Amino acid sequence: MKAVEIKDGIYWVGAIDWAVRDFHGYVTPRGTTYNNYLLMDEEVTLVDTVKYDFSEMTIKNIQSTVDPARIKHVVINHIENDHATSLDKIMELAPDATIYMTEKGKRGIDRFFDTARWKIKLVKTGDTLKTGRFTLQFLETPMLHWPDSMMTYVPEAKVLFSQDAFGQHIASAGRFDDEYSASESLADLEDAVIEYYANILMPFGTLINRKLDEIAKLGLQIEMIAPDHGIIWRQNPERVLQMYRDMASGKAEASVAIIYDTMWHSTEAMTVPMAAGIKDEGLDVTVMKLRATPMSIAIKEFWKSRGALIGSPTLNNILYPTIAELLTHLRGLRPNHRLVGAFGSYGWGGGAVKESYEEFKRMGLETYEPGLQLLYKPSLADENVCYEFGRQFARRVREYHQQF
Ligand code: FEO
C-alpha cells in the first residue's frame, strides 16, 4: 500500500477493508474504508487514525511518505473504535506529538488508553492550529454523530475533514467520487450515502441542518470533503451537502415501502394485492420480507419512501419478533415526515396490528388508520380488500407528500 496525494501536500493514508460484511450489525456488502489523512507541512499532522486491526496498514502508508516520528500533531475528530483505536500504535511511533480533540473526546479516549503519558490539547469551535502553510480550523459537531465529534477545515486547501459525516461504507480501488461513479455508478454511490445516513444520522436531522447553516455562515469554501469512510468528494462536494440538507429536512420519494414478515405466508399473501393497489394508484412500491432482508437495508428503504406499510402476523397475541426488532430500531432512529400503516394475519385474537400502531405513535409518526388484519389466509374477497387498502393508502401518501 501507498499513500495517495489527494491535494497538494495532503495524503490519504487509510485502510481499505474489502472483507467486512457486518459493521456492528449493519450489512456492508460493498466493504468499507477507514480514512485518515497526513498533512505534509513544516509541522507534520495526522488527521484521525483507523480501526485497530488496520494499524499496520496505516503505518505503512504513513511511512511511504514520512518517518512517523516526524508527526508533530495528531487530530482526533471522532473517538469511535473504527477511527481511534490505533491511536496508541501511532503514539508509540510519534511519542512527542500533541493530540487535538474535544473535551468530550478526551473523556471518552481516557476509557480506552492511559492518556496521562500523552500531550493532549482540548479544542473547540474557532480554535486553530498553524502547521506552516496550512491552518487547521476546528469545528465542534456534537451528536454528529457522537458527543465528541468535530470536523477540521483547512482553508489554504479548501478541504473539510468531516469524520463520519458525508461518508459511506464503500471499499473501492479509487479514492474519489469521480473514480467511483466512472467504474460503478453515481446512483450506487448516492444509495450508499442514503443507507449510511438512514442507519446512523437519521436521528440528528435538526442538528445537521443547524450545523450546515453554521458552515454556510462561516463562509467555508469547500472544494473537497474528506470523510472517514468511503470515497472522497472532489468532483461535486456540493452534491453530498445538498443530499444531507434534503435528508435532514425529511426528503423522501412519493413511494411506498412494504416491510413484512410472515409465519405461514398469510401476511405475505396480503402484500401482493396491496402492492398492486399502490402501483395502480401510480406510486412506486418496494416489498421486503424482513427475515430475508438485512435490517439496515430495510431501514434504508423505509427512509427513502414517504409511506410505509408494516406487516406482522400475530404471535402469542403480540408482534412477530423480527417486526418488533424493526420498530425498536426505528424508534431509536426517530424518523419523521413519514406516513405509516399496519396490516397482518392472525389466527386467535390478533394483537400485532394494534401493537404496531402503539409503536408508531410512540415515534410520533403520521398514521394511516385503521390498519388491516385478516383471520388466517386471505380469501379472494379479502384480496380485493387488500388491493383497496393499498390504493387508499397510496392516495393518502400522495396527499401527505404534497406538504413537503
Ligand atoms: Fe465511523 Fe462513528 O464511526
Side-chain angles (χ1 to χ4, degrees), residues 274 277-278 309 385-395:
M274 234 172 242
I278 293 163
L309 288 173
V385 172
C386 292
Y387 175 84
E388 207 42 49
F389 183 80
R391 277 200 94 132
Q392 295 299 334
F393 182 74
R395 264 181 221 150

Side-chain angles (χ1 to χ4, degrees), residues 27-40:
V27 292
T28 47
R30 307 174 183 92
T32 195
T33 68
Y34 313 101
N35 298 335
N36 59 340
Y37 304 94
L38 189 70
L39 278 65
M40 291 300 296

Side-chain angles (χ1 to χ4, degrees), residues 56-283:
E56 196 179 324
M57 208 179 275
T58 192
I59 287 166
K60 279 184 181 161
N61 285 341
I62 294 167
Q63 284 168 334
S64 75
T65 305
V66 71
D67 177 352
R70 279 198 53 210
I71 295 173
K72 194 164 168 54
H73 312 288
V74 177
V75 174
I76 296 293
N77 279 324
H78 178 31
I79 62 160
E80 194 164 0
N81 301 39
D82 49 331
H83 306 297
T85 43
S86 59
L87 179 59
D88 61 338
K89 296 285 172 203
I90 298 292
M91 294 306 287
E92 276 172 20
L93 300 173
D96 294 327
T98 300
I99 299 167
Y100 299 78
M101 57 170 51
T102 62
E103 188 270 332
K104 289 207 167 110
K106 165 83 166 52
R107 204 185 298 169
I109 215 80
D110 283 348
R111 305 295 297 173
F112 291 90
F113 302 113
D114 167 18
T115 60
R117 62 205 153 131
W118 297 334
K119 284 181 276 183
I120 296 182
K121 190 165 168 29
L122 303 185
V123 294
K124 51 190 183 334
T125 297
D127 289 348
T128 58
L129 166 67
K130 192 83 184 147
T131 61
R133 69 184 169 119
F134 292 135
T135 313
L136 279 66
Q137 298 180 353
F138 303 112
L139 176 67
E140 290 168 280
T141 57
M143 296 321 295
L144 299 178
H145 70 115
W146 273 24
D148 60 278
S149 301
M150 69 170 187
M151 298 185 189
T152 301
Y153 176 68
V154 180
E156 294 81 4
K158 299 187 172 76
V159 176
L160 180 68
F161 298 104
S162 61
Q163 41 98 16
D164 279 327
F166 314 117
Q168 348 76 45
H169 285 310
I170 287 180
S172 58
R175 302 273 56 81
F176 299 103
D177 50 351
D178 48 298
E179 291 173 314
Y180 189 79
S181 45
S183 64
E184 303 297 327
S185 77
L186 183 60
D188 186 51
L189 174 56
E190 293 190 351
D191 194 65
V193 171
I194 295 169
E195 191 173 312
Y196 193 92
Y197 183 99
N199 282 282
I200 296 172
L201 293 157
M202 194 198 293
F204 310 117
T206 307
L207 288 171
I208 288 170
N209 267 333
R210 211 178 293 151
K211 196 49 70 176
L212 290 174
D213 286 344
E214 194 183 323
I215 288 172
K217 213 174 285 172
L218 287 169
L220 307 188
Q221 291 179 287
I222 299 173
E223 272 182 9
M224 179 181 284
I225 296 177
D228 277 0
H229 293 291
I231 66 90
I232 296 163
W233 303 90
R234 73 172 173 191
Q235 185 180 52
N236 195 359
E238 279 305 318
R239 174 69 191 133
V240 75
L241 285 167
Q242 188 58 48
M243 283 183 78
Y244 263 56
R245 247 232 202 265
D246 289 343
M247 290 189 285
S249 306
K251 186 181 176 184
E253 292 162 17
S255 60
V256 175
I258 299 179
I259 306 172
Y260 73 96
D261 219 324
T262 196
M263 290 172 68
W264 289 106
H265 304 293
S266 297
T267 300
E268 186 166 62
M270 295 172 76
T271 66
V272 178
M274 234 172 242
I278 293 163
K279 184 71 187 146
D280 285 354
E281 202 52 47
L283 296 195

